[in-house]
């Protein structure tokens, strides 16, 4: 848990049940493919990018997951792998390499 984070102590009781509920449905009901992308295209669509944002973007998602000590890869490996595939797609990877905000977490200043 991040020292001094506002409401960080609440993260396990709030974040864990939410991510468990939604990622269970996505992963177990066939929405997340074992390979490729959600809509069967050769490139990520909005659905894949939504998973990428929910798993890897700095604020609020990655920060909340870290504060909850929620390991997406351990609990939902197909979801984590999809987020990684989307992040590695050349156009997305190029954006992520240059983005000043995607991985940024709030530190009291605006993002």
């Amino acid at each position: 848990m991040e020292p001094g984070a506002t409401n960080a102590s609440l993260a396990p009781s709030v974040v864990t049940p939410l991510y468990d509920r939604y990622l269970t449905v996505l992963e177990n009901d066939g929405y997340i493919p074992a390979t490729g992308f959600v809509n069967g295209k050769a490139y990520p669509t909005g659905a894949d990018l939504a998973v990428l944002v929910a798993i890897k973007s700095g604020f609020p998602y990655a920060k909340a997951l870290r504060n909850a000590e929620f390991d997406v890869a351990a609990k939902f490996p197909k979801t984590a792998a999809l987020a990684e595939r989307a992040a590695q797609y050349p156009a997305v990877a190029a954006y992520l390499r240059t983005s000043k905000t995607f991985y940024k977490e709030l530190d009291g200043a605006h993002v």
Side-chain angles (χ1 to χ4, degrees):
M1 190 170 318
E2 187 176 333
T6 305
N7 296 320
S9 64
L10 297 175
S13 65
V14 174
V15 173
T16 299
L18 289 172
Y19 268 77
D20 277 342
R21 179 182 308 146
Y22 294 112
L23 295 185
T24 295
V25 170
L26 291 177
E27 188 148 317
N28 295 342
D29 289 356
Y31 294 102
I32 303 291
T35 61
F37 299 109
V38 171
N39 290 307
K41 305 284 186 191
Y43 51 86
T45 63
D48 308 290
L49 298 175
V51 171
L52 172 61
V53 168
I55 303 303
K56 294 188 173 255
S57 67
F59 184 83
Y61 304 107
K63 188 171 191 171
L65 289 167
R66 188 174 52 258
N67 284 338
E69 298 178 1
F70 191 98
D71 186 348
V72 174
K75 292 178 101 172
F76 300 98
K78 288 193 318 186
T79 303
L82 174 63
E84 191 57 36
R85 284 193 302 277
Q88 290 178 2
Y89 188 79
V92 177
Y95 164 76
L96 293 174
R97 276 193 305 276
T98 60
S99 174
K100 293 182 172 61
T101 59
F102 186 82
Y103 294 111
K104 183 159 177 60
E105 295 181 8
L106 290 181
D107 54 6
H110 292 351
V111 177

